[in-house]
Amino acid sequence: MSNAIATISQDIYGTRDSFASVLTDRTLNFEREAGFAIQTISGSDYATGIALKNRQSVVNAVTNIAAIGISLNPAKKQAYLVPRDGRICLDISYMGLMDLAMSTGAIRWAQAELVYSSDTFALNGFDKPPTHSCNPFSKDRGEVVGVYVVVKTADGDYLTETMSIDEVNAIRDRSSAWKAWINKKASCPWVTDPGEMAKKTCVKRAYKYWPKTERLEQAIHHLNTDGGEGLQFSDKPQHDAEMAQRWIDQVVRAESQDALKQTWQAALAETRQAKDMAAYNQIKAAVANRKQELDAFEEKTLEGDAA
């Protein structure tokens, strides 16, 4: 296999210029990523054979590392090179997707977890993290009933997305990778790592509500096309401008801090149900502005009373 590895190594190092031309994250080092790629492919005779039969797929995969800005460093667990459908593909983990969002400043942190039947799980409001209680050392937490991802935005807000296991499996059943398993018994991540894929599915739906980042959009597009996952969601968040303006008008008319708080809580409930982040952000800005006005008015009133 030494000649095969030499050929693959030559192909990978031949991408140096194209790697540099599309690089989106300057912290990525070509030499290190090339080394990780060679190590991954050479670690499996099957992967080596696929790489030799489809050498262009190796070139494409390594170039995509630079274009998306993700690392093959096994310690980070962000991305992997995997043989699939007769080619070498760049596969991005759910942790890689969350790291992309964090590295661009769209969110401060993110966490995705599976929920089992013996766990206790509760949502605590639109802008608060959920409560998830479990015994992580239990040998039997029951079957997986759902998955969630919670993030903290740059503004300090919490956003939570949940999916039942039935919703996850419905998405899985539509993916080309799962269909290949059903029809041809071609192994795929849905078979080998169902928990990780459930988390990734939830992240891919949740990101629609996060502040936008081009690199994350590109990564998910890659997974849905070149990655063969095909996890497209039709339930994109819609913005209800009339709802937003209605609540903003009520915020402006609030004459006390208590009235403002009650209005904000009611607005949160409706925007959460509608999953309208644009409306949420607009109303939140109006609340912050009105709070400053009320604070200034109360301070001026106190100064007048003191005089």
Side-chain angles (χ1 to χ4, degrees), residues 37-301:
I38 294 169
Q39 181 181 4
T40 299
I41 295 174
S42 62
S44 164
D45 289 346
Y46 178 68
T48 301
I50 294 295
L52 280 177
K53 292 178 182 178
N54 193 337
R55 294 167 60 184
Q56 185 60 44
S57 71
V58 178
V59 172
N60 294 342
V62 174
T63 303
N64 280 328
I65 293 169
I68 294 172
I70 200 82
S71 177
L72 292 178
N73 187 338
K76 293 184 176 182
K77 300 180 180 180
Q78 293 180 335
Y80 311 90
L81 294 184
V82 296
R84 183 182 300 146
D85 298 331
R87 57 198 174 98
I88 298 296
C89 301
L90 174 65
D91 191 20
I92 304 171
S93 70
Y94 78 93
M95 289 185 289
L97 294 176
M98 295 192 301
D99 284 347
L100 282 174
M102 287 186 281
S103 67
T104 56
I107 58 176
R108 294 184 185 179
W109 58 259
Q111 182 178 11
E113 295 289 346
L114 298 174
V115 180
Y116 294 81
S117 58
S118 65
D119 297 352
T120 299
F121 180 83
L123 293 173
N124 297 316
F126 186 72
D127 62 341
K128 295 180 177 64
T131 300
H132 183 194
S133 301
C134 66
N135 179 2
F137 306 111
S138 174
K139 295 182 179 179
D140 184 11
R141 289 169 60 189
E143 61 183 9
V144 175
V145 295
V147 59
Y148 70 94
V149 56
V150 57
V151 305
K152 189 173 185 180
T153 69
D155 293 331
D157 299 321
Y158 293 95
L159 303 176
T160 303
E161 184 68 27
T162 62
M163 293 184 73
S164 70
I165 195 61
D166 289 340
E167 290 179 294
V168 171
N169 289 341
I171 298 298
R172 176 201 65 186
D173 294 348
R174 299 203 305 264
S175 71
S176 59
W178 180 255
K179 290 177 181 177
W181 163 253
I182 296 299
N183 297 327
K184 305 175 183 178
K185 296 303 176 184
S187 185
C188 69
W190 283 110
V191 177
T192 59
D193 301 287
E196 301 297 291
M197 288 302 294
K199 293 176 184 179
K200 186 191 290 190
T201 303
C202 193
V203 168
K204 291 175 74 174
R205 186 163 81 170
Y207 98 97
K208 301 284 186 180
Y209 309 103
W210 302 349
K212 297 305 178 188
T213 162
E214 184 176 347
R215 283 170 59 196
L216 183 57
E217 291 272 4
Q218 185 174 355
I220 290 180
H221 175 74
H222 165 77
L223 289 173
N224 288 337
T225 53
D226 293 348
E229 292 181 4
L231 305 184
Q232 299 286 3
F233 294 96
S234 59
D235 54 343
K236 295 181 180 180
Q238 300 296 319
H239 176 46
D240 188 337
E242 292 183 1
M243 177 183 70
Q245 189 58 52
R246 171 165 51 80
W247 283 114
I248 290 173
D249 290 343
Q250 293 186 48
V251 166
V252 172
R253 291 196 297 268
E255 296 182 354
S256 68
Q257 296 287 6
D258 286 341
L260 180 63
K261 183 178 180 180
Q262 292 176 4
T263 301
W264 175 226
Q265 290 176 340
L268 280 178
E270 186 170 349
T271 52
R272 175 191 174 190
Q273 184 176 6
K275 294 186 176 181
D276 191 338
M277 277 306 300
Y280 167 83
N281 288 326
Q282 291 175 6
I283 299 168
K284 180 183 176 183
V287 169
N289 184 60
R290 184 56 178 163
K291 186 178 185 303
Q292 289 181 348
E293 293 175 348
L294 290 172
D295 286 342
F297 176 77
E298 291 175 359
E299 184 177 351
K300 185 175 181 181
T301 300

